[in-house]
Structures are given as structure tokens and as C-alpha cells.
Amino acid sequence: MADNSVDDVVSGEIWNQFCDELKAAGQQILRAEAPDDAFNRAEGWRYLTRLTRIGLDMFMECSDRDFPTFYRPSHETAKIGADNPDNIYLRAEINGMHDYRISGSRGTVAYLGFIAIAGGYEEADGNMRSVASLDSHSGLEVNADGTVEVILSRHPQPGNWLKITEDTVAVLARETFLDRNTEVFADLRIERLASGGVKPAPLQASQLAANLRNTAAFVKGTATLFADWAQGFKDQPNTLPAADQAYCQKLGGDPNIFYYHGYFNLADDEALLIEVDEIPQCDNWNFQLNNYWMESLEYRYVQIHLNKHTAQYRRDGGVSIVVGATDPGCVNWLDTTGHREGTMSFRWIGASDHPHPRCRVVKSKELAQLLTA
């Protein structure tokens, strides 16, 4: 098939195609099983605008693999797939045939990890598999002055080495806080090694066409993937079953994390009580609330998640978490922020064991008695 990209750019057809693909992505918001009230629909349309912003960063603004730069593929106002409120995510697009260096200050975040990635949500199979990982849990070396350096290459290197393969397309960094109010984030940059003095090339029409097509495919693919997830979670409401860990890794999950995903659906006078009776040795754990579209709720201003540091523990060392629409006057209450239904996630990070959280729906007025029993 002939490539008409240049003609499509000149005629404006590429823009028509881009807008048509974005319009088609809207069918994910209108799926029969998705909530159809005005509140959830409004969040759904906003979600698509956020995915578009992320896609444009990924494929339009930060796609030069000879001159990579870190950008944030999920953050406070653009969210994907149960984004962790304790994380700062950084991503850079790279070419697995080249070598790269990541360098900068380590900061004081509790966990710093790097994953080399192949594939993406814009592709037909939707997989974004982890090629290799390196992190503070498994021996990331930090210099005496607090700086860190990581070499990305296909062949082993001394010091911090992140293996990449020919099909590697990106590197993802996770910076995980226990307390955002006191910890200092890692300030990182990335550069291609042995670039030979090459400078960025002017924008080509064919590249512009590819960038727009990839952006639209990313929006549609991401929206479809996580709408499928939410549909599946609805089958077991108000529970937190263990996720398929291998599948999570195929979608860019951290190999040090054991994931749980679920769906809450609560009446106005109900709360979800989540209990873990034994906390294993771990780098961290956290629990969070998300909307139907698997975006974390507004964590900047509202308490919608807890972790190892911020939770208050029972006298027996376990933890009880309460999810509900109104404050029941107990510790570890998480606000559903107007959502009667949505998704939720629990993570063990670098844990020696993975005890499963227990969930039960209770009447809000009964909580005080249950929590003091």
C-alpha cells in the first residue's frame, strides 16, 4: 500500500483522520456497562482529553530518540491505569540500538526504579512489556555525593546497568514517596551516548503524520484497555482479588510490586471496610481509590489513599481502611469524592509476603462498633 503521508499533510487529510480517530475513541465512554450518569460521563470525556495530552507529549513533543527527554506520562491532571498517588512517573523514548545515560541527584524518595519497555498501548496487542529493571530495592548504587548514574545498553556495563534490547522503545522511572511533604524527588536527565554531534532534524511531513496517527491510536488503545479492565472488575464488586501478575508485567508493571484491583459500589449509607491483619516486611504498601476510568481520585486536596507511612495501625499491628462517602469519625477513612462506584487498587511493594486484604460492606452507623470490637 502506498504511503500517502506527505499528501495527507499537505491536503489536511491527516488532521481529518486524527480527529476521526479521537471521535471513535469516544465509544469507550459510551460502552453499555459503563456508568451513564452525567458525573461519570463528564469524567470520561475529560479522561480522553487527558489521554490526548499524554499522547501528544509521547509521540509529538518527546519522540526524538536521538535527543530523549524525560516527561511525565501520568501525573496530577493526566492519569492512566490506576496511577499511584505516591509516585512521580518519568518516561523517555529511546532506540534499543543506541546506548544512553541517566544521571542526576538520587533525592530521598523511598523507592527509585527504572524499567526498560518494549511495545505500547497504541499497538494492536496493547502490550507494554518490561524488558529489564533496576531499582533501589535490588541494588541501585548511589554515589557518595548523592548522585546516581545508570547506563542503558544491550551489553553489560560496570556500575548501574539497565539492559535494553533492539525492540526497546522507552525507559520508565518510578519515584515512590512515603511522604511527599518531607521527601525530595530524584532530579534526573537522560542523554544518548556517542551521538556524534548530530543535531535535531527539522520536522518532516511523514514524521508529523506518523506522530498524529500514533497519538490517536494511543488514546483509543489506552481507553479501550482500561475500560475492559473496569468491566471485568464489576463482576466481583467490593472485593480486592489478586491481579494476574504476569499480565500486569506485560502492561508495564513493576516486577517488585504485587497488585490487587477491584471495584467499589456503595449506597449512601454504606462503607467498605478493608482489613489486613498482618503487614509483612516491605518497602511500602498502598491502597487507593480511582474513578470508573481508573484515574486516581483527586489526591492533591482529598485523602483518597494510604500507604505504609501515612496509615494508622491497630494495636495488633494490622490495618483497617474505611472507604465511604461521609466521614465516619474514624482513622484511615478515604473519601470517595462523590463517586458511588469506581475502581480501587492495593499494592505490596518489595514485600516478603503478600497477605490478601479482606473486604466487607457495612452500614456506616455500625463502623464505630466494628472498629472498637
Side-chain angles (χ1 to χ4, degrees), residues 136-335:
S136 53
H137 178 76
S138 57
L140 180 71
E141 299 176 4
V142 181
N143 299 321
D145 62 358
T147 60
V148 65
E149 182 175 292
V150 179
I151 299 299
L152 288 63
S153 67
R154 289 172 292 156
H155 307 292
Q157 301 292 326
N160 292 319
W161 173 56
L162 181 64
K163 179 183 178 180
I164 59 176
T165 52
E166 292 183 5
D167 61 347
T168 298
V169 298
V171 57
L172 179 69
R174 283 181 174 88
E175 304 185 27
T176 304
F177 293 85
L178 292 178
D179 185 348
R180 281 181 180 262
N181 295 322
T182 61
E183 293 172 82
V184 179
F185 69 90
D187 188 9
L188 304 171
R189 58 188 176 276
I190 184 170
E191 59 183 326
R192 178 187 162 191
L193 300 177
S195 59
V198 176
K199 62 182 180 180
L203 179 64
Q204 301 296 309
S206 58
Q207 188 62 56
L208 180 282
N211 292 347
L212 285 177
R213 288 171 179 144
N214 283 331
T215 298
F218 169 82
V219 174
K220 186 176 181 180
T222 305
T224 302
L225 172 65
F226 293 111
D228 288 346
W229 276 33
Q231 180 181 12
F233 300 158
K234 291 185 73 172
D235 294 338
Q236 302 182 67
N238 300 315
T239 63
L240 272 169
D244 181 337
Q245 304 303 310
Y247 185 59
C248 290
Q249 301 310 313
K250 288 175 66 176
L251 297 177
D254 188 327
N256 285 317
I257 298 179
F258 193 94
Y259 296 90
Y260 299 79
H261 290 288
Y263 196 90
F264 69 88
N265 192 340
L266 301 168
D268 291 340
D269 63 343
E270 292 179 333
L272 182 64
L273 179 60
I274 302 165
E275 298 173 294
V276 181
D277 293 332
E278 182 179 353
I279 306 298
Q281 180 66 36
C282 61
D283 292 338
N284 195 9
W285 64 264
N286 83 341
F287 172 79
Q288 69 183 76
L289 297 175
N290 316 305
N291 64 11
Y292 182 85
W293 312 109
M294 295 191 68
E295 299 179 289
S296 64
L297 300 186
E298 180 51 89
Y299 58 83
R300 292 177 297 175
Y301 310 112
V302 183
Q303 187 69 43
I304 61 89
H305 83 294
L306 291 167
N307 66 27
K308 174 182 176 180
H309 175 77
T310 58
Q312 296 189 46
Y313 294 87
R314 303 191 307 249
R315 285 192 295 271
D316 65 3
V319 65
S320 298
I321 301 169
V322 175
V323 173
T326 57
D327 186 351
C330 63
V331 300
N332 298 336
W333 167 61
L334 299 183
D335 190 342

